[in-house]
Amino acid sequence: MRNLLIFITKYNAFFLFIIFEVSALLIYIKYNSFQKATFINSSTSVTGNLYARISEFKRENARLRNQLKSSLYADTLNKHQVVDTVYKQQYEYIVGRVINNSTNRANNYITINKGSKQGIAKGMGVICNSGLVGKVVLVSDHFSVIQSLLHKDSQFSAMLATNKEIGYIQWGDELNPHKGLLRDVSNNAVPKVGERVVTSGYSLFPEGIPIGTISSLKTKSGGVSLNMDVALAVDFTKLQYVYVVDNKFATEQAGLEAQQKKDE
């Protein structure tokens, strides 16, 4: 602190000059309509270019996600061999910008600026760079509404990253936007605080999408399964961009499973 004061004292004339220059510039712009308009136009242009670069960066991220091995389906002639494997695209990602979001209600939703015209459909999963976000529940031509993980009816298949024990993730009873609840994990599991929780691959998402980390362990539920608190990986209060997950095989799988239930 002493060195800082010495520095400021030594160069106080320079700092005063900068302050006076900035003040004069602001006054000049404020009280001259032509200069004010020019300044606003320039600012708008810079901001527009910045947003354009961000959007391009997000689109590039989506393209790279589409190339990840976890987005591909291995169509093999021999399931015990990796030789002569042909990889088919199973998951594709559509980037969207968040234009409305809530986190302080019992049922929270997110609106994005992409819809059916961009290939989004009801029931698709949604993630962001940090992890799992929710699922699409309403779609128009140019917009989509996402049911956030922070919703009393949201639950998704999840697993412990270490031993692959399966459970499901839902929002915690405390309605804390940073905390979830991992339920119905086999009591054969030996979970640890700090262990990662990820998607299982059984639902709308590829396997291994981050959900969070175990923050505390619960008592056994009926002596058969375990519940545990999860510190969520996604900060829902700061969401700006998301990726809608298009599972190319979802319709085929759903149809087959529906037929199986019908035949029971």
Side-chain angles (χ1 to χ4, degrees):
M1 178 61 75
R2 181 172 176 273
N3 290 337
L4 178 62
L5 291 174
I6 292 173
F7 177 79
I8 293 174
T9 302
K10 184 176 180 180
Y11 296 99
N12 62 344
F14 172 76
F15 289 124
L16 285 173
F17 172 76
I18 294 297
I19 292 171
F20 287 142
E21 281 290 310
V22 172
S23 299
L25 181 61
L26 291 175
I27 292 171
Y28 179 67
I29 292 173
K30 182 177 181 180
Y31 294 103
N32 290 273
S33 57
F34 176 76
Q35 285 75 14
K36 184 176 182 179
T38 302
F39 177 77
I40 292 174
N41 289 336
S42 299
S43 300
T44 302
S45 176
V46 171
T47 305
N49 287 334
L50 179 60
Y51 277 116
R53 289 182 179 274
I54 292 174
S55 295
E56 184 62 32
F57 175 73
K58 294 297 178 180
R59 283 194 293 271
E60 180 65 14
N61 274 354
R63 187 183 69 80
L64 293 174
R65 278 187 179 275
N66 289 337
Q67 296 175 1
L68 289 175
K69 194 170 183 179
S70 61
S71 298
L72 305 175
Y73 166 77
D75 187 7
T76 60
L77 296 176
N78 187 329
K79 65 181 179 182
H80 299 296
Q81 298 179 358
V82 187
V83 182
D84 295 328
T85 297
V86 178
Y87 285 100
K88 296 181 179 179
Q89 191 79 30
Q90 179 172 0
Y91 298 97
E92 289 186 352
Y93 300 87
I94 306 165
V95 64
R97 182 167 60 87
V98 174
I99 59 175
N100 200 3
N101 184 20
S102 66
T103 59
N104 58 357
R105 303 170 185 167
N107 297 312
N108 293 289
Y109 296 91
I110 301 161
T111 305
I112 62 173
N113 67 338
K114 295 292 175 64
S116 59
K117 293 287 189 182
Q118 290 76 40
I120 296 177
K122 182 179 178 180
M124 289 182 175
V126 184
I127 64 174
C128 68
N129 285 335
S130 303
L132 186 150
V133 172
K135 68 176 180 180
V136 176
V137 291
L138 291 171
V139 182
S140 67
D141 285 350
H142 303 101
F143 300 95
S144 299
V145 174
I146 299 160
Q147 181 177 298
S148 166
L149 175 58
L150 310 183
H151 188 290
K152 66 180 181 63
D153 294 329
S154 288
Q155 64 178 46
F156 302 99
S157 181
M159 69 181 182
L160 300 173
T162 303
N163 58 21
K164 310 296 185 182
E165 289 286 354
I166 304 293
Y168 67 89
I169 188 74
Q170 64 181 64
W171 197 14
D173 297 331
E174 303 168 19
L175 304 186
N176 182 335
H178 304 290
K179 185 184 292 186
L181 182 64
L182 182 62
R183 304 193 59 164
D184 291 350
V185 176
S186 168
N187 59 10
N188 293 322
V190 187
K192 298 179 181 179
V193 172
E195 184 172 353
R196 292 173 58 242
V197 178
V198 299
T199 55
S200 66
Y202 286 0
S203 57
L204 309 175
F205 311 93
E207 180 180 327
I209 300 296
I211 295 175
T213 55
I214 297 174
S215 57
S216 67
L217 304 176
K218 300 280 189 180
T219 57
K220 291 184 179 180
S221 175
V224 177
S225 58
L226 301 172
N227 298 337
M228 52 207 79
D229 289 325
V230 175
L232 297 177
V234 174
D235 186 346
F236 286 86
T237 64
K238 297 179 180 178
L239 272 182
Q240 291 184 303
Y241 288 89
V242 298
Y243 299 99
V244 180
V245 183
D246 181 6
N247 182 353
K248 297 297 184 181
F249 298 161
T251 301
E252 178 183 347
Q253 180 180 344
L256 186 63
E257 291 173 349
Q259 182 64 45
Q260 178 263 323
K261 291 181 180 179
K262 183 179 178 181
D263 293 342
E264 285 182 350

